[in-house]
Amino acid sequence: MSTNFLDRIRAFLLAILLSVALAAPALGGPFEEAVAKFANDEFSDTDAAIGAVATSGNPLALAIISALREGRLSADPQSRKVFVTQGDGKVIDAATGAAVDRLPDGAAAVRLNNRLRRTVEAALGGLTLLSPDPAKRIAAAQSVFKSHDASALAVIDGALATETNKRARTAFTEARAAILLYKPDATEAEKLEAVAIVRARGDQEALALLTGLGGDVPPNVARAAASAITSIQGNLAAWSMVQNAWYGLSLGSVLLLAAIGLAITFGVMGVINMAHGEMVMIGAYTTFVVQEIIRTRYPGLFDYSLLIAAPLAFLVAGGIGVLIERGIIRFLYGRPLETLLATWGLSLVLQQAVRTMFGPTNREVGNPSWMSGAFELGQITITYNRLWILCFTLAVFAILLGMLRYTALGLEMRAVTQNRRMAASMGIATSRVDALTFGLGSGIAGIAGVALSQIDNVSPNLGQSYIIDSFMVVVFGGVGNLWGTLVGAFTLGIANKFLEPVAGAVLGKIAILVLIILFIQKRPRGLFALKGRAVEA
């Protein structure tokens, strides 16, 4: 047998021994004797101590080897005691884990040379790769995949022999392939198999690994790697389009939530409400106030803060909307320019009022635990807060559609939209419908503020960021048509995200605006025009 083959067999058996030792219960006496060898101040004894501690299975092993690498392992030659200085400055006995008041005066850091440093790194890799926690094993395997360190091959082989977790086994297989791909003495067959495994992984790290191969690989391996690179690049390009589509849906859900209330007021009442963005802002500040109360008085309810804030934001913003309609808007019907100026001035007043009450700086609104974090789907990343906002937007849209279709107020709103004079002659109090409609649109804007507080800065200028986009969505989709608003929001959101990588954020928005202007020239009533004699007149 070749020396290389015997070395691999020996390393494999050592890895199996390490795996079994980590699964076995700790033994006090031999472990203490192994730790005491660090106090001999001999490199050979330190080498033996590293191996014995790493294979002991003692829960202190990882802390001891980590402290040795970072210079936090100290030994007292007189008492032959070894100590670990923890990250917080506290000192423990390395053999027992018992707390120690301070290091003895004669204690000194355990010395390392280059060979021992490599031994320490290998021992740490083995301890992490064979950790009882599958997440740690996977993370360690991912690290090996990136570094393709050949010294970890024996431990990887040993771990694969005993691994039962499917994800961890896949990670170990990929890490082994990465090592073999760069290992000079690996056979051509092993390298070809490694290329296939890395190709199946198909992410950016796999692409970087294959791209970094030198020119000294066999021709068959080079051709296989080139084919794999082309395949991965095409795969990543497709996933990039999917990621952009997701970003577009996410942006579209935000635009829909901000515009849906405007679609109601603009469609039913014909009022250009420039203060609509401030209703969004009021909803966001309502969320802030609710969270502040919960933080100070009922911290256990923080995960329910958004569920509490959503109806309150609807009531607060809706109530303010009714007051605005009764106090200002109803005197300006039929005068759109004066309505625009009045609501624009009102938006400035509301912004200044919020600055006076809460200050001009951004306010922190926290994410509940169920809206924090992200998960991967294929090669794309989806954040939970964006996913929940999309679901929340669609739920609000469905509830609003149901209300307009199956309630008396919805029937009256549709009647007033289609023919105000005929609705009034049939006994519908159009003035009351106007007030309730404006309040409903403002309330929905308040709910939008609750959602936007999770992804944007809560400040007095929050609403100004969405008012122009909201008007574009409403006009593009069809004034007063909720389905048009839905299609318009998602269409503009997706188009914007696909244009951004090509033209940039600013030029992308300009291009969208130009396209909408050209579209309105052809279809003045938008995608889905309302029907009715009054509308068509």
Side-chain angles (χ1 to χ4, degrees), residues 11 77 157 159 162 178 263 278 295 316 350 372 399 429 461 497:
D157 286 335
T162 58
E278 278 53 56
R295 280 194 186 100
V316 172
L350 291 174
S372 302
I399 292 171
N461 299 320
K497 287 303 177 182

Side-chain angles (χ1 to χ4, degrees), residues 281-296:
M281 173 196 68
I282 288 170
Y285 273 98
T286 301
T287 308
F288 165 72
V289 172
V290 168
Q291 285 198 352
E292 283 297 296
I293 294 173
I294 288 177
R295 280 194 186 100
T296 55

Side-chain angles (χ1 to χ4, degrees), residues 54-308:
T55 57
S56 68
N58 193 289
L60 292 171
L62 182 59
I64 292 172
I65 304 299
S66 298
L68 177 60
R69 181 181 66 175
E70 297 167 7
R72 296 183 288 104
L73 190 70
S74 305
D76 182 14
Q78 293 184 352
S79 63
R80 294 182 55 78
K81 293 281 188 181
V82 182
F83 307 94
V84 173
T85 303
Q86 297 176 318
D88 56 3
K90 296 181 180 178
V91 181
I92 62 171
D93 188 314
T96 64
V100 178
D101 292 337
R102 63 182 182 86
L103 286 174
D105 294 335
V110 178
R111 297 183 303 137
L112 291 176
N113 58 19
N114 289 336
R115 183 177 63 83
L116 286 178
R117 288 188 180 91
R118 290 193 293 270
T119 304
V120 168
E121 292 297 332
L124 281 175
L127 286 168
T128 310
L129 284 166
L130 300 174
S131 168
D133 185 357
K136 290 184 179 179
R137 296 200 300 273
I138 293 171
Q142 297 284 2
S143 177
V144 173
F145 181 87
K146 295 177 184 177
S147 65
H148 44 82
D149 184 6
S151 64
L153 182 59
V155 181
I156 291 285
D157 286 335
L160 275 170
T162 58
E163 185 59 64
T164 58
N165 183 280
K166 185 177 179 180
R167 289 185 60 213
R169 189 171 183 83
T170 300
F172 284 140
T173 303
E174 292 170 350
R176 185 177 186 276
I179 293 172
L180 292 176
L181 201 56
Y182 279 79
K183 200 169 188 291
D185 56 351
T187 66
E188 182 175 316
E190 287 177 327
K191 287 182 180 290
L192 288 173
E193 182 184 2
V195 170
I197 293 171
V198 174
R199 176 177 183 164
R201 174 169 171 145
D203 60 0
Q204 287 286 357
E205 292 174 357
L207 181 62
L209 192 74
L210 292 171
T211 306
L213 279 176
D216 56 345
V217 296
N220 289 336
V221 176
R223 284 192 293 270
S227 175
I229 288 172
T230 303
S231 175
I232 292 174
Q233 287 174 338
N235 184 53
L236 290 177
W239 277 110
S240 177
M241 294 182 66
V242 175
Q243 182 77 75
N244 283 336
W246 162 249
Y247 287 150
L249 287 175
S250 176
L251 175 61
S253 67
V254 172
L255 294 178
L256 176 61
L257 206 54
I260 195 170
L262 190 63
I264 296 172
T265 56
F266 196 16
V268 174
M269 307 170 66
V271 172
I272 303 175
N273 179 20
M274 296 300 294
H276 182 78
E278 278 53 56
M279 300 298 106
V280 175
M281 173 196 68
I282 288 170
Y285 273 98
T286 301
T287 308
F288 165 72
V289 172
V290 168
Q291 285 198 352
E292 283 297 296
I293 294 173
I294 288 177
R295 280 194 186 100
T296 55
R297 299 184 183 180
Y298 313 102
L301 295 176
F302 186 80
D303 276 350
Y304 304 97
S305 59
L306 296 187
L307 301 179
I308 298 170

Side-chain angles (χ1 to χ4, degrees), residues 346-468:
L346 179 63
S347 71
L348 298 179
V349 172
L350 291 174
Q351 288 181 44
Q352 189 57 46
V354 168
R355 285 192 184 92
T356 303
M357 294 174 63
F358 298 98
T361 58
N362 296 341
R363 291 295 180 170
E364 179 185 358
V365 175
N367 287 3
S369 59
W370 48 274
M371 288 190 73
S372 302
F375 65 94
E376 292 186 356
L377 184 65
Q379 300 296 330
I380 67 172
T381 301
I382 297 177
T383 55
Y384 283 110
N385 58 354
R386 293 278 184 174
L387 179 62
W388 279 114
I389 288 174
L390 176 60
C391 296
F392 178 70
T393 301
L394 295 177
V396 171
F397 183 81
I399 292 171
L400 187 58
L401 278 181
M403 188 276 294
L404 291 175
R405 185 175 181 85
Y406 298 110
T407 66
L409 176 60
L411 178 62
E412 292 175 352
M413 285 174 58
R414 286 186 288 139
V416 172
T417 301
Q418 294 179 15
N419 196 318
R420 177 179 293 270
R421 291 184 180 180
M422 183 60 73
S425 68
M426 295 297 293
I428 295 176
T430 57
S431 177
R432 179 181 65 87
V433 171
D434 287 339
L436 292 177
T437 301
F438 202 91
L440 177 64
S442 299
I444 294 173
I447 295 178
V450 177
L452 293 177
S453 69
Q454 300 299 295
I455 59 174
D456 207 340
N457 295 324
V458 177
S459 69
N461 299 320
L462 173 64
Q464 295 299 307
S465 305
Y466 297 96
I467 185 65
I468 302 301

